[in-house]
Amino acid sequence: MDAIWLDGAQWLAVLRIGLGLWWLESWRHKEKKSWFEGSGIAWAADVAAKHRWNAVRSGFEVVVKPRPRVMAYVVVYAELALGLGLIAGFLTPIALVAGLLLNLIYLVLMIHDWAEQGQNGMMALISVVALGGMAWQTWSVDDALGLFR
């Protein structure tokens, strides 16, 4: 594979780090105080209540609605962990799969919002490419520790 400026593995590392920065920005821009007080989950509950798919409505009712505070912390700190893990390249395949799943959940929940679909679709695509290209082989803690070879 020919590439300009960097080799293929380095470009995949750039993609991985960029995805990590995207997750970190998702974490950074959230108003944590209001999220932990329930604003984010309340917004998601409103979206889920109007969802066209019964599985999304009932899944939200069973999993998220009974524990809004816990789920707010899960969402916020999952985004932080994904961002830091991908930037550092630590447990990268696990972070990529977890991020892909989170993006797919967001994508399904926000099926009516094209802006959200675009962001989550692109992040999911980058996760798939980074997984397929083993983006942890360069510039990563995983590589330094000899993990996932």
Side-chain angles (χ1 to χ4, degrees), residues 10 16 26 28-29 45 47 60 69 86 97 101 136 145:
Q10 290 169 328
R16 180 200 82 228
S26 183
R28 188 202 62 81
H29 88 268
V47 171
F60 193 92
R69 187 167 172 85
L86 291 171
V97 169
L101 292 174
W136 52 90
L145 297 176

Side-chain angles (χ1 to χ4, degrees), residues 9-147:
Q10 290 169 328
W11 278 118
L12 285 167
V14 168
L15 194 62
R16 180 200 82 228
I17 292 165
L19 180 61
L21 290 168
W22 202 342
W23 278 115
L24 203 57
E25 174 57 19
S26 183
W27 170 81
R28 188 202 62 81
H29 88 268
K30 281 185 174 50
E31 174 54 49
K32 275 47 147 215
K33 186 176 186 307
S34 65
W35 255 85
F36 297 146
E37 291 172 353
S39 68
I41 299 302
W43 168 78
D46 184 56
V47 171
K50 299 173 191 167
H51 206 281
R52 71 173 81 163
W53 298 340
N54 187 46
V56 172
R57 288 190 308 273
S58 60
F60 193 92
E61 291 289 323
V62 170
V63 176
V64 181
K65 194 170 184 180
R67 48 192 80 75
R69 187 167 172 85
V70 170
M71 294 309 293
Y73 278 90
V74 167
V75 167
V76 169
Y77 288 110
E79 291 179 356
L80 175 62
L82 289 168
L84 295 175
L86 291 171
I87 290 166
F90 182 61
L91 301 176
T92 309
I94 296 165
L96 288 167
V97 169
L100 177 60
L101 292 174
L102 191 56
N103 280 129
L104 293 176
I105 289 168
Y106 290 171
L107 187 68
V108 168
L109 179 63
M110 299 303 300
I111 199 86
H112 303 298
D113 187 336
W114 288 105
E116 286 292 323
Q117 282 187 333
Q119 173 178 317
N120 289 298
M122 290 307 301
M123 291 174 80
L125 177 62
I126 293 168
S127 294
V128 170
V129 170
L131 272 167
M134 297 171 58
W136 52 90
Q137 296 178 87
T138 301
W139 303 337
S140 72
V141 173
D142 292 337
D143 183 52
L145 297 176
L147 301 175

